[in-house]
Amino acid sequence: MHADLPVFIVTAHATPFWVQKAMEAGAKAVINKEAPLSQIVLTLRTAAAGITTLSPDYARFFHKDDLLTPKEMEVLALMAEGKTNDEIAAALHVVTGTVGVHVSKILAKLQVQNRTQAVNVARANGMVR
């Protein structure tokens, strides 16, 4: 196995969630196969130079700061189970205020107004069951 070889993902069906998962798994680039050849080449060259990158079709969905952290994903999964902030805090062994901060960041990153909308978006994108 060549663990040092960069991984490039070429697809036409990536959601923001799956792009995030690919990047977390170590992909150096996620490219929309329907992008113009010049964009594909530029994305590949940038990634080959060691810079993790997304083709513009996927980059427009989010910035690095918009990606959910593993802890936020954990909180989101518990939200999807219908747990309150107090219940989530107990499950994660943190204070309720910390959960509130995570929930606020999740709502902002998913660009929704409330927990129900966040869970609906998460389910629609395969982020939670």
Side-chain angles (χ1 to χ4, degrees):
M1 195 67 151
H2 299 283
D4 57 336
L5 291 177
V7 173
F8 305 127
I9 296 177
V10 181
T11 182
H13 302 289
T15 65
F17 173 73
W18 291 115
V19 171
Q20 176 180 339
K21 286 297 182 191
M23 302 306 270
E24 288 173 357
K28 292 305 277 180
V30 179
I31 306 159
N32 185 333
K33 73 177 186 175
E34 296 175 359
L37 182 58
S38 60
Q39 285 182 356
I40 293 172
V41 170
L42 178 61
T43 302
L44 288 172
R45 286 185 177 155
T46 303
I51 300 168
T52 301
T53 190
L54 300 171
S55 66
D57 299 72
Y58 298 137
R60 67 184 166 89
F61 287 121
F62 56 84
H63 302 293
K64 189 72 168 164
D65 294 339
D66 293 334
L67 300 178
L68 295 180
T69 66
K71 186 59 72 180
E72 290 165 350
M73 288 295 296
E74 200 172 358
V75 169
L76 183 58
L78 292 169
M79 287 169 50
E81 292 176 13
K83 301 213 180 292
T84 66
N85 283 9
D86 288 335
E87 292 169 330
I88 294 170
L92 300 179
H93 308 290
V94 298
V95 297
T96 303
T98 300
V99 174
V101 170
H102 287 309
V103 170
S104 294
K105 288 181 179 180
I106 291 166
L107 298 181
K109 290 177 180 183
L110 295 180
Q111 299 177 359
V112 297
Q113 301 298 314
N114 58 54
R115 296 165 67 102
T116 301
Q117 290 175 344
V119 170
N120 288 339
V121 166
R123 285 190 176 129
N125 287 288
M127 299 166 74
V128 297
R129 292 181 184 163

